[in-house]
Amino acid sequence: MTENFTHINAEGHAHMVDVTDKGNTQREARAQAFIEMAPETLQMIIQGEHHKGDVFATARIAGIQAAKKTSDLIPLCHPLMLTKVEVDIEAELDNQRVKVTSLCKLSGKTGVEMEALTAASVAVLTIYDMCKAVQKDMLISQICLLEKTGGKSGDYHIK
């Protein structure tokens, strides 16, 4: 059984997939990530008492910026003309964690899954960075693609 790897050329070298002849379709992807922390750290953020400023606002901007820079970070990703990037941040007090959800959209030839995953990842990394002076043992987890629509491979929704 021979597998056809799209990011490997005939010589076995990594390459960027040629999407020249693909048609534009509406594409959307959602991803999420969590960061767990001590109740005191979470309260400090929620109450706006962090000495570095608004942690959630900074993380939201970092996530949006990261989605736009995904092709600079992931070697074989195409640079994309994103039409929407949204990063939502929600404190889950009962679970002592923060949930980050990202949404990326475009009309294009290739998907936006990596952009959504990068946005969620960088947003939680930014929360960690801003709070590490207060707590170093925060736990980042469950970075995953929630859903994607559009493109040849069809729709995907997490089970």
Side-chain angles (χ1 to χ4, degrees), residues 123-143:
V124 294
L125 286 169
T126 300
I127 293 169
Y128 184 93
D129 180 51
M130 291 187 74
C131 296
K132 68 183 185 277
V134 176
Q135 181 184 353
K136 293 191 182 357
D137 65 345
M138 292 173 283
L139 177 65
I140 294 171
S141 65
Q142 300 178 48
I143 300 170

Side-chain angles (χ1 to χ4, degrees), residues 54-80:
D54 189 335
V55 174
F56 289 171
T58 304
R60 190 173 296 109
I61 292 167
I64 292 167
Q65 194 66 18
K68 297 183 333 184
K69 295 289 190 179
T70 298
S71 66
D72 291 337
L73 301 169
I74 311 293
L76 302 179
C77 283
H78 293 84
L80 301 179

Side-chain angles (χ1 to χ4, degrees), residues 39-58:
E40 300 80 23
T41 305
L42 188 53
Q43 282 300 320
M44 177 192 61
I45 294 169
I46 292 168
Q47 293 171 2
E49 297 172 353
H50 196 289
H51 69 281
K52 290 187 177 182
D54 189 335
V55 174
F56 289 171
T58 304

